[in-house]
Amino acid sequence: MKNKKKIVVAPLNWGLGHATRCIPIIRALLAEGFEPLIASDGVALDLLKKEFPDLKHIHLPSYHIVYPKNGKYFLWKILSNGHKMIYAIFSERRAIQKIVKEHQIDGVISDNRLGIFSSKVPSVFITHQLQVMTGIATRLSSWMHRQIIKKYRACWVPDLEGSVNLSGALGHLKKKLPNVEYIGPLSRLRKIDLPIRYELMVILSGPEPQRTFLEEKLIAELQPFQGNILFVKGKIEAEQTTTVQPPFTFYNFMNADQLATAFNESKEVLCRSGYTTVMDLAFLEKKAFFIPTPGQFEQVYLADLYAKMGIAPTCTQEEFTLGKLEHIKNYTGLPKIENETDWKKLFSVFD
């Protein structure tokens, strides 16, 4: 019997988005006869342990990404902690070489982990940010990111290549890089026709303390809401907890199957404008209201882009009030995604 090829899948631990969009990749690897090994840290690793308890899980060095209490200082916070990130990148570079050797790895997939690369086996980088928006440093950060991308065998962009796409300028350059391949949007969720149980679904994620700030803000603002609210806090803990405090039904977290049901049973969604959430909403054909994480330029760009296109309303975290949800009805919602990823062709990079 032929041994299965072993592929390391390593998402960045920055909120839950990188980990959750790796779920369909891991499922596809299993379906195509590969043996995935999951490598990450923090809540990203915790989430994937819950989704794939039978797979091997490897702990990687943390990037120690911490958000400031005031979002306008986000860039300064990242720069001031740059030495910690650089140390983590070099540490994970050493770690992946050891992993490849000890586990006889046949390929590596890195979702935005800059040190996860091996010259010994085919290595793939996943990103929707060919342009990394960092305010005044955008040109420099984008150039640096592309230098890293160029060393990989392939760079998979989870979006459509043409003018109809989800990532806008983030994932599309005037001159395409030779190793870039658009693999179509990714989501662990699919649209199912289910009766509506909740007029509003709130789903949170992202690094602290901004996740908690938004949770507290929304609980206070949404108290007078007329209807049922499903509120998923995005806190990955040892045990799942549920609390009913009308109009809210609170969950600390949900697994992929529970989220699929919850999204389909909800009329509208209130959430961050992270790209993974955007892809989920497109597959689900749901209308949404976006509150970008303060200081996270990528989320601000996407929220503003969709508002200008008449797709979804947005406002800042500080400006949000219950009345702003009324604007959702004036927007079209995200375009329906018609895409089937050719996994067999993509995974041929490991032949």
Side-chain angles (χ1 to χ4, degrees):
M1 184 176 178
K2 187 177 179 181
N3 290 332
K4 294 181 178 181
K5 287 189 174 182
K6 297 180 179 179
I7 310 296
V8 172
V9 181
L12 180 65
N13 176 35
W14 188 317
L16 299 176
H18 296 281
T20 55
R21 74 183 183 191
C22 282
I23 290 174
I25 295 174
I26 295 167
R27 288 174 176 169
L29 285 167
L30 290 167
E32 293 293 331
F34 293 88
E35 181 182 339
L37 289 79
I38 298 169
S40 191
D41 67 288
V43 294
L45 185 59
D46 292 341
L47 173 72
L48 292 175
K49 282 181 178 179
K50 292 181 183 296
E51 292 292 336
F52 302 100
D54 296 330
L55 296 183
K56 185 168 186 61
H57 307 96
I58 302 169
H59 188 271
L60 293 174
S62 174
Y63 278 42
H64 299 289
I65 298 168
V66 179
Y67 270 72
K69 292 183 178 180
N70 190 325
K72 69 180 181 179
Y73 299 124
F74 171 70
L75 180 58
W76 168 247
K77 186 75 171 180
I78 292 296
L79 293 175
S80 64
N81 284 279
H83 62 288
K84 294 180 182 179
M85 293 180 66
I86 292 171
Y87 179 79
I89 290 168
F90 278 101
S91 296
E92 68 180 6
R93 186 174 294 177
R94 292 191 295 269
I96 193 62
Q97 307 315 320
K98 184 178 179 181
I99 292 167
V100 167
K101 183 177 180 180
E102 288 187 356
H103 296 278
Q104 298 181 310
I105 298 300
D106 298 290
V108 171
I109 299 174
S110 167
D111 189 327
N112 275 262
R113 293 197 80 111
L114 305 181
I116 298 298
F117 169 85
S118 174
S119 59
K120 304 292 185 183
V121 297
S123 297
V124 173
F125 194 75
I126 301 174
T127 187
H128 64 278
Q129 294 189 76
L130 301 178
Q131 296 197 74
V132 181
M133 295 192 177
T134 52
I136 59 173
T138 293
R139 182 171 293 184
L140 176 61
S141 58
S142 298
W143 179 84
M144 293 174 65
H145 201 220
R146 290 197 287 270
Q147 302 316 301
I148 293 169
I149 289 170
K150 288 177 181 178
K151 70 183 181 181
Y152 286 82
R153 178 77 63 88
C155 174
W156 293 346
V157 177
D159 198 2
L160 303 171
E161 184 172 5
S163 58
V164 179
N165 60 70
L166 297 178
S167 63
L170 291 174
H172 299 81
L173 302 173
K174 292 181 179 179
K175 185 177 180 181
K176 183 180 173 183
L177 298 176
N179 64 337
V180 164
E181 187 166 0
Y182 291 89
I183 66 174
L186 299 175
S187 178
R188 58 201 161 141
L189 310 174
R190 289 295 182 273
K191 182 176 174 59
I192 309 169
D193 288 325
L194 294 175
I196 297 298
R197 293 182 59 197
Y198 305 100
E199 280 69 40
L200 180 67
M201 177 179 181
V202 177
I203 182 163
L204 304 184
S205 66
E208 298 291 2
Q210 293 298 335
R211 190 212 62 79
T212 294
F213 289 166
L214 184 57
E215 176 188 327
E216 294 171 349
K217 169 83 171 180
L218 294 181
I219 291 174
E221 290 289 342
L222 296 173
Q223 285 287 346
F225 184 82
Q226 298 299 306
N228 295 325
I229 301 175
L230 177 62
F231 199 116
V232 184
K233 296 182 178 182
K235 297 173 68 174
I236 306 301
E237 297 172 323
E239 299 293 333
Q240 185 182 69
T241 59
T242 307
T243 307
V244 178
Q245 297 175 356
F248 302 102
T249 299
F250 292 106
Y251 281 79
N252 53 347
F253 70 89
M254 285 184 166
N255 63 31
D257 291 338
Q258 290 172 322
L259 276 173
T261 299
F263 267 113
N264 281 290
E265 290 181 335
S266 301
K267 183 180 179 182
E268 296 171 342
V269 181
L270 174 59
C271 57
R272 296 292 194 193
S273 49
Y275 187 65
T276 299
T277 303
V278 167
M279 291 192 290
D280 286 341
L281 292 170
F283 275 93
L284 293 162
E285 301 176 49
K286 289 291 179 182
K287 286 191 171 187
F289 191 105
F290 289 127
I291 304 176
T293 301
Q296 192 162 331
F297 295 97
E298 167 213 356
Q299 290 194 16
V300 173
Y301 166 78
L302 288 174
D304 288 345
L305 175 66
Y306 302 140
K308 290 174 183 176
M309 294 175 67
I311 289 173
T314 183
C315 73
T316 66
Q317 192 163 293
E318 292 75 17
E319 293 173 337
F320 179 79
T321 60
L322 173 58
K324 289 186 181 295
L325 291 179
E326 289 293 320
H327 297 304
I328 295 178
K329 65 177 180 292
N330 300 321
Y331 289 76
T332 63
L334 286 151
K336 183 179 180 180
I337 294 298
E338 298 285 357
N339 177 70
E340 286 294 332
T341 303
D342 188 344
W343 294 112
K344 190 176 292 293
K345 179 182 177 183
L346 283 178
F347 294 156
S348 65
V349 70
F350 302 121
D351 291 342

